[in-house]
């Protein structure tokens, strides 16, 4: 069974030859040069043959061209530390303008994805570029605390900035529409968690921009996955969006897959936490995968991690995941 067919049948709750699976990770250092990043993504896929590829550029790639400065200093997830932020006053939100995908970091990322796209066409592997929500981009520009303060005290100014970030994101996505392997986006909905803000706050400030982005996606894209971060994710709110699957950390959220699936219509992309993949053993991972399979009643499941992944994941654990799904049909 080819990958697209396996994924489409899994999403539609139809029989598959095995459960689809995918893992992803950052490639710090390589993510500063588009050709090196493309090679790392391609090699990771070549080694493990995942059912889809999530392209993982640096977290700040959508806003680097505003003048943001960052560096990787050894973080185990491959996340770069931001040294220079752009938004210092609430009025700075009103001065943002959309970026051009034809130059700078956005152009380099498009070139990286063109190289990945060319490599994936041979076996029809779906490609999902990572897209951070406008609110997540705003936090990178201002810092989390500054963004949250403006959300509550200067929401109109923050919305002005979010509108520009949304337009910039949509321009970048328009460039992706020309790539044959792209099947959708992997949308990171940071801050959609009850331990950070209320549902009313997120729905009023962040959700309209996400809806605009999803509404502008090409109609032939068929696999859009939303990652909901946080200890108390707003799964019901994000599930109402036009996405095919949800990715979240069920262990951190304290909600089992079975309970969430009964309340959500989207398929499940997950079953394992990043800590499972980092600290577990191959035998424990196989048990966790089987448990996820049982909780989902073998239906509408894509086995994966639940965050951005650790770059220090033991290779034996990655191999264990890849081999374990072969027996799950």
């Amino acid at each position: 069974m080819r990958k697209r067919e396996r994924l489409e049948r899994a999403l539609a709750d139809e029989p598959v030859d095995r459960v689809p699976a995918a893992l992803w990770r950052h490639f710090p250092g390589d993510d500063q040069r588009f050709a090196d990043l493309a090679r790392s993504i391609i090699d990771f896929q070549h080694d493990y043959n995942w059912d889809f590829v999530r392209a993982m550029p640096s977290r700040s790639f959508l806003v680097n061209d505003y003048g943001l400065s960052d560096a990787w200093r050894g973080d185990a997830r491959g996340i770069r530390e931001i040294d220079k932020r752009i938004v210092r006053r609430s009025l700075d939100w009103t001065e943002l303008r959309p970026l051009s995908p034809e130059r700078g970091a956005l152009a380099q990322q498009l070139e990286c994805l063109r190289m990945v796209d060319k490599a994936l066409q041979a076996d029809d592997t779906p490609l999902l570029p990572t897209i951070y929500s406008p609110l997540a981009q705003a936090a990178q520009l201002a810092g989390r605390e500054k963004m949250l303060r403006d959300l509550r005290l200067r929401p109109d100014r923050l919305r002005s900035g979010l509108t520009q970030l949304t337009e910039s994101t949509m321009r970048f996505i328009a460039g992706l529409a020309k790539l044959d392997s792209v099947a959708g986006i992997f949308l990171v909905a940071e801050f959609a968690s009850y331990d950070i803000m209320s549902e009313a706050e997120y729905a009023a400030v962040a959700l309209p921009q996400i809806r605009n982005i999803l509404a502008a996606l090409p109609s032939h894209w068929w696999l859009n996955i939303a990652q909901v971060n946080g200890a108390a994710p707003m799964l019901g709110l994000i599930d109402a969006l036009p996405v095919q699957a949800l990715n979240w950390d069920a262990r951190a959220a304290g909600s089992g897959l079975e309970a969430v699936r009964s309340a959500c219509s989207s398929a499940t992309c997950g079953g394992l936490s990043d800590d499972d993949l980092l600290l577990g053993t191959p035998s424990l991972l196989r048990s966790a995968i089987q448990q996820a399979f049982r909780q989902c009643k073998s239906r509408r499941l894509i086995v994966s991690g639940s965050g951005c992944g650790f770059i220090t994941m033991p290779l034996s654990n990655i191999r264990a995941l890849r081999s374990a799904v072969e027996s799950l049909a």
Side-chain angles (χ1 to χ4, degrees), residues 1-8 10 16-18 51:
M1 188 174 288
R2 296 182 70 83
K3 293 166 185 169
R4 174 166 182 167
E5 180 185 5
R6 181 180 298 116
L7 285 161
E8 288 186 320
V16 292
D17 58 341
R18 65 162 176 81
D51 286 294

Side-chain angles (χ1 to χ4, degrees), residues 45-119:
Q45 174 62 16
H46 179 268
D47 288 345
Y48 300 106
N49 195 27
W50 305 116
D51 286 294
F52 70 83
V53 169
R54 177 187 175 185
M56 293 280 285
S58 68
R59 284 167 50 89
S60 56
F61 84 98
L62 284 166
V63 293
N64 273 126
D65 289 337
Y66 285 113
L68 180 147
S69 175
D70 58 10
W72 180 59
R73 296 188 172 91
D75 180 83
R77 296 180 187 270
I79 296 174
R80 301 172 66 82
E81 295 179 13
I82 298 177
D83 298 319
K84 177 186 175 183
R85 300 190 190 273
I86 306 306
V87 174
R88 299 179 179 84
R89 309 168 303 148
S90 61
L91 276 173
D92 291 341
W93 296 117
T94 66
E95 298 176 1
L96 294 179
R97 296 294 180 267
L99 297 170
S100 170
E102 297 178 357
R103 55 180 177 267
L106 295 184
Q108 291 181 21
Q109 182 59 19
L110 283 175
E111 186 58 34
C112 167
L113 292 169
R114 290 187 190 100
M115 296 175 68
V116 176
D117 169 66
K118 183 177 180 180

Side-chain angles (χ1 to χ4, degrees), residues 128-191:
L128 272 63
T130 298
I131 297 293
Y132 293 93
S133 71
L135 194 65
Q137 296 176 46
Q140 292 163 4
L141 289 174
R144 169 177 163 149
E145 298 308 319
K146 170 64 175 169
M147 181 275 291
L148 290 174
R149 185 164 61 251
D150 287 346
L151 181 146
R152 285 157 184 152
L153 299 179
R154 299 289 187 178
D156 289 344
R157 292 178 179 178
L158 176 59
R159 284 194 190 94
S160 174
L162 292 176
T163 298
Q164 303 304 312
L165 293 172
T166 301
E167 175 61 27
S168 182
T169 303
M170 291 167 65
R171 292 181 182 182
F172 175 76
I173 290 174
L176 300 175
K178 303 173 184 178
L179 304 182
D180 293 335
S181 298
V182 175
I185 62 173
F186 204 105
L187 176 70
V188 181
E190 288 188 8
F191 307 111

